[in-house]
C-alpha cells in the first residue's frame, strides 16, 4: 500500500450502504417538539488509511444518493464517493457512528476498490 501511496497524487473510492427497515409506524422514532415523528439521525464518520481523526482531516464523502432515510419496509441504498488529493487518506479503513439501531433494521456495507491516480 505504501508503494501505491508514494506513486499516486490522488485517490478515489465508493462505499454503498444497503439498508432495510420497517415502515415508519413500526420503528423506534421520537417525537419532535412539534409533535411530528422524526428519526434519530447521525452521520457515519469515515477514517482513512492515515488514521487521522482530527475533525479538520476526517474524510468527507460526496453523498451521491441517500435513500436509507426512506422507511417503507424495502431495501434502499446510500452511495458515498470519496476523492482526495492526498492518496494516503484512502482506502477507508474504519466506519464509526452508524445510525442508531432500530427495531428490525438491517444493513450491509459494500466497499468498492480504491483507484489511485
Amino acid at each position: 500500500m505504501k508503494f501505491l501511496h508514494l506513486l499516486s497524487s490522488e485517490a478515489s473510492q465508493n462505499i454503498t450502504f444497503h439498508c432495510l427497515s420497517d415502515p415508519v409506524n413500526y420503528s423506534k422514532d421520537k417525537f419532535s417538539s412539534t409533535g411530528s415523528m422524526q428519526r434519530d439521525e447521525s452521520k457515519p464518520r469515515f477514517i482513512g488509511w492515515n488514521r487521522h481523526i482530527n475533525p479538520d482531516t476526517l474524510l468527507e464523502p460526496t453523498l451521491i444518493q441517500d435513500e436509507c432515510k426512506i422507511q417503507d419496509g424495502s431495501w434502499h441504498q446510500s452511495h458515498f464517493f470519496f476523492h482526495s488529493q492526498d492518496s494516503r487518506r484512502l482506502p477507508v479503513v474504519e466506519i464509526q457512528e452508524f445510525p442508531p439501531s432500530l427495531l428490525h433494521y438491517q444493513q450491509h456495507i459494500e466497499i468498492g476498490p480504491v483507484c489511485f491516480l
Side-chain angles (χ1 to χ4, degrees), residues 22 26 30 39 57 61 64 66 68 77 85 109:
D22 281 345
Y26 292 113
K30 66 180 182 180
R39 175 148 330 276
T57 61
I64 296 173
D66 187 11
C68 283
Q77 298 178 353
Q85 298 292 328
I109 300 171

Side-chain angles (χ1 to χ4, degrees), residues 18-108:
H18 299 270
C19 43
L20 171 69
S21 62
D22 281 345
V24 72
N25 56 336
Y26 292 113
S27 62
K28 291 181 183 176
D29 291 312
K30 66 180 182 180
F31 287 92
S32 71
S33 58
T34 62
S36 62
M37 293 175 74
Q38 293 184 341
R39 175 148 330 276
D40 281 334
E41 293 184 24
S42 62
K43 289 175 32 177
R45 287 188 336 157
F46 299 93
I47 298 176
W49 183 263
N50 61 4
R51 293 264 182 208
H52 288 169
I53 56 174
N54 171 341
D56 296 333
T57 61
L58 282 175
L59 282 171
E60 286 295 326
T62 300
L63 185 59
I64 296 173
Q65 179 182 18
D66 187 11
E67 294 180 347
C68 283
K69 294 178 182 180
I70 300 171
Q71 303 297 311
D72 62 359
S74 299
W75 281 97
H76 295 283
Q77 298 178 353
S78 291
H79 295 276
F80 298 90
F81 176 73
F82 297 86
H83 182 85
S84 177
Q85 298 292 328
D86 180 359
S87 65
R88 295 171 297 157
R89 297 180 81 188
L90 292 172
V92 170
V93 295
E94 188 174 337
I95 303 171
Q96 299 176 345
E97 297 184 17
F98 284 101
S101 297
L102 301 173
L103 184 64
H104 303 293
Y105 185 81
Q106 299 177 39
Q107 69 181 359
H108 69 270

